[in-house]
Amino acid sequence: FHPGFFLTGIFIYFSIVRLDFLKTYSRLELEYHQLQLVFQNSQALLNIDDLEELLRIIARNARKATRSRAVAITRYEDNAFVVRAFAGLDNPLIKKGFELAGIHPVGLRVPVNPEGFTHRLAKEKKTIILRDFYEQIEGIIPRHLARLAQLVGGIRVMVNSPLLVNQQLIGTIVYGVSREIGERELDLMEMFTQQAAQAIKKAMLLGFLLLAERRSMVSFFSLSLIIS
C-alpha cells in the first residue's frame, strides 16, 4: 500500500466535501436573499393604495424575488383571465417573442376554456404548472406561433399561482422561468402570491370605500339641490 494513494484519496474526499458545502452554502444564501425580498415586498406593498400601480410593482418584485424571466398578473373577470400587469419586456428576447406571436401581453384576454387548464384553475383554485405556451394562452394564436414565441423567449416552465381574496379567485400570478423548478422555489412563488393577494385585497377595499364616499357626496349634493 503506497502512502501517496492514501493522501490522494484524502485530498479528493475533502475536495468533494468542500464542493458540496460550497454548493449548499450558495443555495442557502440564495434562498435567504429571496426570502428577504419577499418580506421587504410584503412590507412595501401594504403602503400602496392605487391598484394599477400596485399590480405593476408586484409584477416587478415577483420577477426579481423568484428569478423569473417574465411575470404576468391577471384578473379573473367575465369568465376570462385578463393580463393587467407584466414584467419582462425589458428582456429583448421576451419582447421579440411576443412580437413574433403578434400579441402584446398587457391587456391580453384568455377566455376560460371548458377543455383547458383555465377551467381547472378557476374550479380548483390551485397552482398549475405548464410547459407549453400554446396551452397557457388556450390556443388564441396558432400553435406554431406560440411555440416560436416560447422558444425565442426562453421560457421553459409557466407557474400559474392563483390570487385568492376571501377564498375567491380574483386572478393569477404567472411566473415564466427558463428552468425546471423545485419544491422550494414553488413554495417561494406561492408565498409571494399569498402576500400579494393581501396587498391587493387592501387596495380593492380602499377603492370600494372611496367609491362609496364619492357616491355619498353625489347623493348629498343632489339632495341639497332638490331641497334648495
Side-chain angles (χ1 to χ4, degrees), residues 1 5 9 12 22 33 42 50 57 75 92 103-105 111 115 137 139 141 147-148 165 167 194 197 202 221 228:
F1 179 77
F5 292 150
I12 293 174
L22 290 175
H33 179 62
S42 67
D50 181 73
I57 293 175
R75 287 294 303 275
I103 55 178
H104 192 279
E115 304 297 328
I137 57 175
I141 63 174
R147 286 181 174 174
L148 180 61
V165 171
Q167 299 305 312
Q194 290 169 8
K202 172 180 173 291
F221 285 121
S228 61

Side-chain angles (χ1 to χ4, degrees), residues 84-111:
R84 296 285 294 274
F86 187 89
L89 289 179
D90 58 327
N91 184 320
L93 294 179
I94 295 293
K95 184 176 181 180
K96 188 63 177 178
F98 279 107
E99 289 176 351
L100 291 171
I103 55 178
H104 192 279
V106 179
L108 185 66
R109 186 175 186 274
V110 180

